[in-house]
Amino acid sequence: MRGTVYKSTGSWYLVKGEDAEFYNCRIKGKFRLKGIKSTNPIAVGDRVEFELETTNDETTGVINTIEPRANYIVRKSVNLSKQVHIIASNIDTLFLIVTIDNPVTTTSFIDRFLVTAEAYSIKTVLVFNKIDTYSEEALNEQLYLQYIYSQIGYECLRVSAKEQKGLEAIKERMIGKVSMFSGHSGVGKSTLINAIEPGLNLKTAQISEQHQQGQHTTTFAEMFDLSFDVAIIDTPGIRGFGIVDMDPQEVGDYFPEFFALKDQCKFNNCLHREEPNCAVKEALDNDELAWSRYKSYIQILDGEEEHYRTDIYKDGKNQEE
């Protein structure tokens, strides 16, 4: 029987079969991505083939085949740096939930997520949540971030899950598709999903007062069928996003605004660092590109982890803290 993985708990997988029934399944043997060691060989969204077996009057399944993935979102495992974790697969649209404060979503985090989505050709929409809570300063920062990313070509939405503002725009972009919601803990993913489909009643939690971080309420990625022809993947809050190894020559290709200037650089293998006649560096000096994006690019090239917050200033050149 064929089916789709709706939930993974590490050893067992909840699979929705072609008969629309759900089965608890385990895997047979070992599955590996080509050349990549993964902490989770099967991910939510995977399309699989499985066989049913009955033991002690309980029917379960054994997964024996993973069908080729159209795409997937992958990051470095937090505790096992040499391994990767597949967050979800076969995604039509990724909604990255962003908050300016309470908690802070750094541009470094946003850019790492976008680079990975670009690498696997996943359409990404930035959703700025909690707009009802922003001070004037935070609002200005949000609007400037929106300007930066919309200029690059990313669609940006402004919503308030609490006040149910902007939800229709999200729902319109979800119909008939598999959508994934992701972001830091505490940005309001589960609250937003509950507002879109109140009957789900996903767990939510308050922000930690001491550290201004979200409490983990979603332990495992899980897919849900909504009432308006939508499948949605809710994911655990992500504190840091480690980029899986990329060739330095290809990183710039996943920054669309850098890629658009690539053929104007003197050298076709330009890394946009110290090379002469670099079109990207010239555009930066002319304030035609965002310095926060360039900082993220250099950080990825150097293999650094996320370690700075980028405050948004129009000159863009003194942004680290």
Side-chain angles (χ1 to χ4, degrees), residues 54-171:
T54 302
T55 306
N56 298 327
D57 296 326
E58 182 182 7
T59 299
T60 57
V62 179
I63 297 170
N64 50 43
T65 304
I66 305 175
E67 296 184 6
R69 295 170 170 129
N71 56 46
Y72 51 88
I73 284 286
V74 61
R75 70 183 182 106
K76 283 185 181 178
S77 174
V78 174
N79 298 319
L80 302 167
S81 61
K82 292 183 179 180
Q83 291 195 316
V84 303
H85 178 75
I86 307 166
I87 300 175
S89 69
N90 299 317
I91 304 155
D92 292 316
T93 306
L94 164 63
F95 291 91
L96 182 58
I97 316 302
V98 175
T99 48
I100 302 303
D101 49 27
N102 195 31
V104 170
T105 302
T106 65
T107 49
S108 173
F109 177 83
I110 295 171
D111 294 337
R112 286 165 178 265
F113 224 116
L114 292 178
V115 163
T116 300
E118 289 285 344
Y120 293 97
S121 301
I122 300 173
K123 175 181 171 61
T124 305
V125 177
L126 296 181
V127 178
F128 293 94
N129 193 18
K130 303 186 182 182
I131 59 171
D132 57 295
T133 67
Y134 292 160
S135 65
E136 184 177 353
E137 181 181 1
L139 177 60
N140 288 336
E141 188 168 341
Q142 184 273 309
L143 291 174
Y144 188 61
L145 270 180
Q146 182 172 330
Y147 170 77
I148 287 175
Y149 290 103
S150 61
Q151 287 291 105
I152 297 167
Y154 291 105
E155 185 171 19
C156 298
L157 302 177
R158 303 176 71 245
V159 306
S160 167
K162 185 176 180 180
E163 296 188 355
Q164 299 199 2
K165 293 180 179 178
L167 302 187
E168 287 303 318
I170 296 179
K171 292 170 72 172

